[in-house]
Amino acid sequence: MKIKSILVKSIAVAAMSVTGLVVANNAGSQTAQAATVQNDAHVVTVNYVSDNSITVYNNYENPVATGQTLASNTSWKVIKTAYDSKGHKWYDLGKNQWIRAEYVTAGYVAANNATAKSTTTVSQAAAAQTQSQAATTQTAATTSAKSYTSNATGSEASAKAWIAARESGGSYSASNGQYVGKYQLSASYLNGDYSAANQERVADQYVQSRYGSWTAAKAFWQANGWY
């Protein structure tokens, strides 16, 4: 009886080992599962790409283009990070606005310099002309910004003021690392023009493109502590 018992136990152990191998093999043959993971970046900057913008999608599992694009060298806050079933990393910029991680770089500095992408050497004379044109354009933009008047009224104006009060106490000169001014915008958004008018203009543009309205931005701020 003792010999029989040992034999039975040996057969049972062997059967469990084979079963374990089958389970392990089956597990190894499964494809990767799509899932959200811990964020590895708080802010990302769009790289320089061929058409100077990247596509925004409605989700990462079965992505469909929303029609929105993000320009090269613009920075965005990351809400979620996820991998699709093919192992591609995605970032959610809020309100299910997903982008492929391969087209952005963590932080505020773009991965590639536009000049490095150029295959043609520009002469000093041409470069000087380009700088002159850029200066003229910047001057015109600054002039336009100084005369900017926000179209936010009623509840929109109230929501805008509410956010400004919490971000900076309403101060155009407030600063906190990369964040500048009354609405604590990324310095890269302001492009060197920290005037009150430009802060108002860029804040309106940022909120419109990201949330659609100041009231929606306020609701997001109340839920997350930032916008």
Side-chain angles (χ1 to χ4, degrees), residues 147-204:
S147 61
Y148 177 80
T149 300
S150 176
N151 59 5
T153 59
S155 60
E156 284 293 286
S158 296
K160 184 177 182 180
W162 186 94
I163 288 177
R166 281 151 184 80
E167 289 290 322
S168 67
S171 172
Y172 287 112
S173 60
S175 64
N176 180 19
Q178 292 285 344
Y179 299 102
V180 177
K182 184 176 181 179
Y183 303 97
Q184 290 294 280
L185 300 165
S186 168
S188 63
Y189 293 175
L190 297 169
N191 198 29
D193 181 358
Y194 301 133
S195 66
N198 193 47
Q199 289 185 39
E200 295 289 340
R201 177 179 62 82
V202 175
D204 281 344

Side-chain angles (χ1 to χ4, degrees), residues 124-140:
Q124 291 183 349
Q129 182 179 5
T130 300
Q131 291 176 354
S132 176
Q133 292 173 343
T136 301
T137 301
Q138 180 62 40
T139 299

